[in-house]
Amino acid sequence: MRKCGLVTGASRGLGRAIAVTLAKDLGLHILINFAGNKEAANETKKQIEAEGGSAELMQFRVEDGTLVEKTLSNWILNNKDSKIEVLVNNAGITKDNLMVFMEESQFDDVVNVSLKGMFNVTKSVLTHMVRNRYGRIINIASLSGLKGVPGQVNYSAAKGGMIAATRSLAQEIAKRNITVNAVAPGFVASDMTQDLDVEMLKKLVPMKRFGEAKEVADLVSFIASDKAAYITGEIININGGIHS
Ligand code: NAP
């Protein structure tokens, strides 16, 4: 049986680092999900292959529940020699605005990608994992979902929802040998944070720096490994010392 890991939003940023690290550390064949940036997704694939691993691209927008279900059920049907052991729900977007100015669409878009997307993708692989009696589901939440951040009512709501869902699902499927955990990063250097005032924000972090995508990926890799078999329903902070 070929062991696989599905990482959503794996074309760039944290998702790419997670995909490359899971392939290297755990020897998983990686399903690289992305929304539209095929060139970047191919770069992730190249990096995995350069380290001796294997991967394939899997394009869908996580908020499109019908497409997610169709793509994943077809893949599972056509790959009977494979099992998805690890799912990392990483795809996420921000559309920051103070609530008084926030458009309904800014709220809906962020919740649909970051929260509903997690539901869509997880639901589409859950039966497969239950049948295999093994699984690691890792949700990439955020400090924003624990502490709340001004200008991010939409994003904090989505990530807070993800954290609560993590705890619920963990209890539902613990007896099936499937763990469900969330990782809550603080500020990490990526396209998502490139327009922020880094110099000002670094001062708020006790370690006085942003995190690296690889540092988050190493945590995800540990949670996805057999070493973390008894950890479930946890929200693990990785934020250089900013605690909620
Ligand atoms: P990023 O650099 O903006 O990358 C976003 C990734 O998500 C890309 O691969 C993008 O694909 C994909 N994506 C976006 N919308 C999607 C959709 N509708 N369906 C499928 N894929 C989609 O973001 P990042 O900083 O790596 O963030 C990754 C995750 O970490 C997010 O959930 C974010 O909320 C969380 N996080 C980040 C930070 C941080 O400081 N960076 C902190 C806390 C939490 P395309 O390339 O195809 O557009």
Side-chain angles (χ1 to χ4, degrees), residues 8-15 33-38 40 60-63 89-94 113-114 140-143 155 159 184-193:
T8 67
S11 46
R12 292 183 281 128
L14 276 62
N33 164 253
F34 64 107
N37 197 338
K38 195 168 187 178
F60 54 72
R61 298 194 68 89
V62 292
E63 69 272 36
N89 286 303
N90 165 78
I93 57 167
T94 49
V113 175
S114 302
I140 308 301
S142 170
L143 176 73
Y155 186 75
K159 296 299 191 181
F187 298 110
V188 182
S190 77
D191 291 349
M192 184 178 273
T193 50

Side-chain angles (χ1 to χ4, degrees), residues 158-169:
K159 296 299 191 181
M162 181 184 248
I163 286 166
T166 298
R167 293 195 173 111
S168 290
L169 183 60

Side-chain angles (χ1 to χ4, degrees), residues 1-168:
M1 269 286 181
R2 185 174 63 158
K3 296 178 177 186
C4 304
L6 167 59
V7 183
T8 67
S11 46
R12 292 183 281 128
L14 276 62
R16 175 185 283 170
I18 291 166
V20 172
T21 304
L22 289 181
K24 192 174 178 197
D25 291 0
L26 305 182
L28 299 174
H29 173 77
I30 302 293
L31 310 181
I32 301 168
N33 164 253
F34 64 107
N37 197 338
K38 195 168 187 178
E39 205 179 317
N42 265 317
E43 176 55 32
T44 303
K45 185 168 182 276
K46 263 196 231 159
Q47 289 188 17
I48 291 171
E49 289 168 350
E51 300 270 9
S54 72
E56 65 189 273
L57 305 195
M58 186 180 267
Q59 183 173 13
F60 54 72
R61 298 194 68 89
V62 292
E63 69 272 36
D64 184 346
T66 310
L67 180 62
V68 170
E69 164 60 25
K70 197 173 142 202
T71 308
L72 280 165
S73 58
N74 279 341
W75 189 91
I76 289 167
L77 199 67
N78 293 323
N79 290 276
K80 293 218 165 67
D81 64 329
S82 303
K83 49 183 180 176
I84 299 173
E85 290 202 334
V86 177
L87 164 63
V88 184
N89 286 303
N90 165 78
I93 57 167
T94 49
K95 291 200 175 179
D96 295 357
N97 213 340
L98 293 174
M99 179 128 171
V100 279
F101 303 119
M102 191 176 283
E103 304 282 343
E104 189 178 352
S105 64
Q106 291 179 308
F107 187 87
D108 289 347
D109 290 351
V110 170
V111 170
N112 280 336
V113 175
S114 302
L115 180 58
K116 187 76 187 296
M118 176 214 67
F119 173 81
N120 291 336
V121 180
T122 305
K123 189 157 166 56
S124 297
V125 301
L126 204 50
T127 308
H128 174 76
M129 280 185 175
V130 167
R131 273 203 201 108
N132 292 330
R133 293 210 156 247
Y134 185 88
R136 295 275 188 271
I137 298 171
I138 298 151
N139 296 323
I140 308 301
S142 170
L143 176 73
S144 188
L146 287 164
K147 185 184 159 291
V149 170
Q152 291 198 321
V153 164
N154 49 1
Y155 186 75
S156 299
K159 296 299 191 181
M162 181 184 248
I163 286 166
T166 298
R167 293 195 173 111
S168 290

Side-chain angles (χ1 to χ4, degrees), residues 180-202:
V180 190
N181 292 289
V183 165
F187 298 110
V188 182
S190 77
D191 291 349
M192 184 178 273
T193 50
Q194 69 179 355
D195 295 330
L196 299 180
D197 184 343
V198 177
E199 288 314 308
M200 189 270 287
L201 291 169
K202 275 195 318 198

